[in-house]
Amino acid sequence: EVKTLVFCSGQIYYELLEEREKRGRSDVALVRLEQVAPFAFDRIAENAKIYTNAEVIWAQQEPKNMGPYSYVLPRIMTATREINGDEKRPRYVGRAVSAAPATGMTKTHQLECQMILDGVFGKEEHMD
């Protein structure tokens, strides 16, 4: 049973797909939107209807104020409300609001990428 429905766009899809396989998580559905404009209201509603009990997430690599989140948020809510009659507000998973599109520091970038993966799949318990 799918517990989490993740919408995303771009390269992050492949990173999430790889992480899902690595963790063996069949309870997470990933949906990659090829383009956000024009918005695929029907595709969003269709997937939300398939996974009615799943938590809906929007995942992106960009900072919250730079990626498509602010554009897709009301559209995902509209698609699920108007087409399915069951409004879903996606939880944001991505980098925090930032004045710069990248940190410029490898360690910080790696930490942010791991935080995105953990935001989607949960914290991974590391065995030493």
Side-chain angles (χ1 to χ4, degrees):
E1 180 187 346
V2 171
K3 295 178 184 164
T4 309
L5 172 59
V6 183
F7 292 106
C8 61
S9 182
Q11 175 188 347
I12 193 169
Y13 170 81
Y14 299 103
E15 294 171 14
L16 293 172
L17 184 62
E18 181 180 331
E19 188 71 11
R20 182 179 71 177
E21 290 172 8
K22 184 176 121 186
R23 295 189 188 198
R25 296 287 301 273
S26 60
D27 62 336
V28 177
L30 303 174
V31 178
R32 180 174 185 244
L33 300 179
E34 293 294 325
Q35 59 186 33
V36 293
F39 195 73
F41 289 94
D42 54 340
R43 186 154 182 235
I44 296 291
E46 177 184 310
N47 281 281
K49 192 171 187 170
I50 293 169
Y51 307 112
T52 54
N53 296 323
E55 175 191 19
V56 177
I57 291 176
W58 174 265
Q60 67 182 35
Q61 291 173 320
E62 302 89 352
K64 191 173 188 178
N65 58 318
M66 293 183 195
Y69 177 69
S70 61
Y71 178 81
V72 302
L73 171 65
R75 287 162 178 80
I76 290 173
M77 293 172 67
T78 297
T80 55
R81 180 184 65 244
E82 297 299 322
I83 299 173
N84 295 351
D86 181 23
E87 184 176 275
K88 304 280 186 179
R89 181 184 181 90
R91 177 169 60 90
Y92 172 78
V93 174
R95 292 180 54 214
V97 171
S98 174
T103 65
M105 297 184 297
T106 304
K107 270 260 195 249
T108 304
H109 175 74
Q110 290 171 340
L111 180 62
E112 288 174 341
C113 289
Q114 188 60 50
M115 287 173 59
I116 292 170
L117 296 175
D118 289 344
V120 170
F121 298 103
K123 272 256 193 243
E124 191 172 27
E125 298 299 319
H126 296 283
M127 305 280 285
D128 292 321

